[in-house]
Amino acid sequence: MMQFLKKTNFNIIGYRKIAITISLSFILIGVVSVVMHRGLNLSVDFAGGTLIQMKFDQPVKDDLSKIRSIVGNLGFGSPEVKTIGQIGQNELQVTVSKQPEGVAVAEQIKSALAQDYSQNTFEVRRIENVGPKIGGELKRDALIATILALIAILIYVGFRFHLPFGVAAVIPLFHDVLITIAVFSLLNLEISLPFIAALLTIVGYSLNDTIVIFDRIRENMRAGLKGKSFTDLVNGSINQTLSRTVITSLTTLFVVASLYILGSDAIKDFALALLIGVGVGTYSTIFIASPVLLWWHSKKPLVR
């Protein structure tokens, strides 16, 4: 493997208290943001509402604010208007939180655009109505899926390594999920089904990084401390895998950043969640997971 950082000896563990303080502060800021916004900005998938997808004859990317104003004047609350697909296809997706009453909401949106945006004709490609009951079920199922994934990871890692390793691997996953949600709350971005998919992807990615470091710690534990403290063993293991961690994270970040910059509006939130999660996941692998394992060792030694 290419060695980007050779024979490093950074005192990473020495910054654990600062790192944990920063993480807790950011999570607290996220909680305050959620309270101030009176909850998360849930998409039509969870909150219920109407989604209408249209294809226009001429480009619409520069007219999004105008279309948003036209739809907003109908009294359905603040609408979400974004392009989807390739730019040249001129496809637009409009979402409003107004609870559906048959097809009345979609018909009013179509009529308003046909009248006030008549210079650009369009055809309707798709209409979706989601009631509050279905939205509530999706919200519940998404929460259950996330919790079950974390429990399954705890069981697997605890069985594959030891229980302390399982706990130390899962706590950073909660950290990564909470930080990503906090950023979306601060930016008042939409929580949708693709966002939940991004969270589960982040969980898997972050766990993979953590397992690599934990596997090296376990190998070094088998060799014994040999006059070193457990802190030195953990710190040395992180340094030994630092090159792999940095290279893997950077290549992933480049791909996700390209997806965010070059992708359509429909996948920007998904890509942004991945961008945040990959960065935070790399950070938590180094500064959260290993310190948790170190704390456990201080209470009940893992190696003597």
Side-chain angles (χ1 to χ4, degrees), residues 39 118 177 219 232 239 247 264 297:
S118 57
V177 168
E219 289 178 4
D232 292 335
N239 277 278
I247 291 175
S264 67
H297 173 78

Side-chain angles (χ1 to χ4, degrees), residues 50-226:
T50 300
L51 178 150
I52 178 170
Q53 178 181 332
M54 297 163 284
K55 178 177 176 57
F56 289 80
D57 291 337
Q58 301 174 26
V60 293
K61 191 169 182 62
D62 295 333
D63 295 333
L64 295 184
S65 58
K66 180 178 180 179
I67 295 174
R68 189 176 295 110
S69 176
I70 293 172
V71 178
N73 291 333
L74 295 175
F76 299 147
S78 179
E80 177 191 345
V81 180
K82 60 185 179 182
T83 59
I84 60 174
Q86 298 179 356
I87 296 178
Q89 293 179 341
N90 303 326
E91 291 196 27
L92 194 71
Q93 179 176 293
V94 177
T95 306
V96 295
S97 59
K98 175 73 174 180
Q99 300 304 325
E101 301 171 2
V103 293
V105 175
E107 290 296 334
Q108 290 183 57
I109 293 174
K110 288 165 55 180
S111 299
L113 290 176
Q115 178 178 346
D116 299 330
Y117 193 60
S118 57
Q119 69 272 22
N120 194 350
T121 57
F122 63 91
E123 62 174 328
V124 176
R125 289 292 182 87
R126 177 167 62 107
I127 296 175
E128 288 187 8
N129 291 321
V130 179
K133 182 178 179 180
I134 296 177
E137 292 176 354
L138 288 174
K139 185 163 49 177
R140 180 200 63 200
D141 292 346
L143 180 62
I144 292 174
T146 303
I147 292 175
L148 288 179
L150 293 173
I151 293 175
I153 289 170
L154 174 62
I155 295 173
Y156 170 76
V157 178
F159 176 78
R160 184 67 178 81
F161 290 82
H162 296 292
L163 179 61
F165 286 88
V167 174
V170 168
I171 288 178
L173 302 184
F174 280 102
H175 166 274
D176 301 341
V177 168
L178 291 175
I179 293 292
T180 305
I181 293 175
V183 174
F184 265 61
S185 177
L186 286 170
L187 299 176
N188 199 29
L189 295 176
E190 192 176 66
I191 305 298
S192 60
L193 286 176
F195 175 80
I196 301 300
L199 288 185
L200 295 177
T201 304
I202 291 166
V203 166
Y205 180 88
S206 180
L207 176 67
N208 182 62
D209 264 356
T210 303
I211 291 301
V212 170
I213 294 179
F214 280 5
D215 193 52
R216 183 58 58 90
I217 292 175
R218 184 175 60 173
E219 289 178 4
N220 291 334
M221 285 172 58
R222 288 172 178 170
L225 295 179
K226 296 181 179 180

